[in-house]
Amino acid sequence: MKNKLLTILLIILVAVTLVGVASVAAIAYFKNDHVKVEKEPSIDEIIKTAVNVPEITTNLANGDFVRMTLTIQTDSKKAKIELEKRDFQVKNLLITELSELKSDMLQSKAGKEQFQDRMKTKLNEIMQEGKIEKVYITSSILQ
């Protein structure tokens, strides 16, 4: 009788231990399954989702003027299509943001990076089908 009871207790103990180990393994598997590894997009992926803004010439706050072109990287093809449709809004934002800057702000690396960040923020405010990843200044002439 004691031998039988001991055997049953051992079987129950082993079963409970196996269920616990299986539960922990399942939780770890599903938890790691949902974690996405962030990787930098390839240049081909960037090109597929980028929009080129044609050259624009506008006055700066101090009376000088700038001639500039941009390339705007989006996070998806849907976002690219939306941004292309919003071309007039992009140009409007570009002109209004540049009109508040002085030429010395756009001559430094820090000033250009600040302008790119501000454009990214402003463009993301109007986007509905995705977001802007990066704004690149592809040409710039100050006069």
Side-chain angles (χ1 to χ4, degrees):
M1 182 78 170
K2 282 189 174 186
N3 247 356
K4 204 177 216 185
L5 186 60
L6 185 60
T7 305
I8 292 173
L9 283 175
L10 280 174
I11 290 172
I12 291 173
L13 183 64
V14 169
V16 168
T17 303
L18 287 175
V19 168
V21 169
S23 298
V24 170
I27 290 170
Y29 173 76
F30 287 115
K31 187 175 181 180
N32 287 336
D33 188 42
H34 296 302
V35 175
K36 292 183 180 178
V37 176
E38 291 292 323
K39 65 173 187 138
E40 291 294 317
S42 70
I43 189 64
D44 292 329
E45 292 169 338
I46 292 173
I47 290 171
K48 287 179 185 176
T49 61
V51 175
N52 293 318
V53 178
E55 185 175 81
I56 193 159
T57 304
T58 190
N59 294 328
L60 299 174
N62 63 344
D64 292 341
F65 72 91
V66 64
R67 185 174 293 151
M68 184 180 284
T69 58
L70 302 175
T71 298
I72 303 171
Q73 178 187 345
T74 64
D75 67 342
S76 66
K77 288 183 181 179
K78 283 185 178 183
K80 177 184 178 178
I81 292 168
E82 178 186 358
L83 189 64
E84 288 171 339
K85 290 177 182 177
R86 293 182 181 277
D87 179 54
F88 67 97
Q89 290 174 313
V90 172
K91 289 177 183 175
N92 179 60
L93 281 173
L94 183 57
I95 290 170
T96 55
E97 288 300 314
L98 286 170
S99 70
E100 294 181 2
L101 298 178
K102 294 182 179 176
S103 58
D104 60 335
M105 294 176 185
L106 287 173
Q107 288 176 342
S108 68
K109 179 180 177 181
K112 287 177 183 168
E113 288 173 349
Q114 195 173 37
F115 169 73
Q116 290 168 316
D117 290 340
R118 191 165 49 228
M119 283 299 297
K120 176 183 169 182
T121 302
K122 294 285 187 180
L123 289 169
N124 274 323
E125 290 174 4
I126 64 171
M127 292 294 289
Q128 296 175 353
E129 293 287 329
K131 66 178 189 169
I132 305 303
E133 292 289 324
K134 184 127 174 73
V135 175
Y136 298 93
I137 298 174
T138 52
S139 74
S140 175
I141 299 173
L142 288 169
Q143 289 187 344

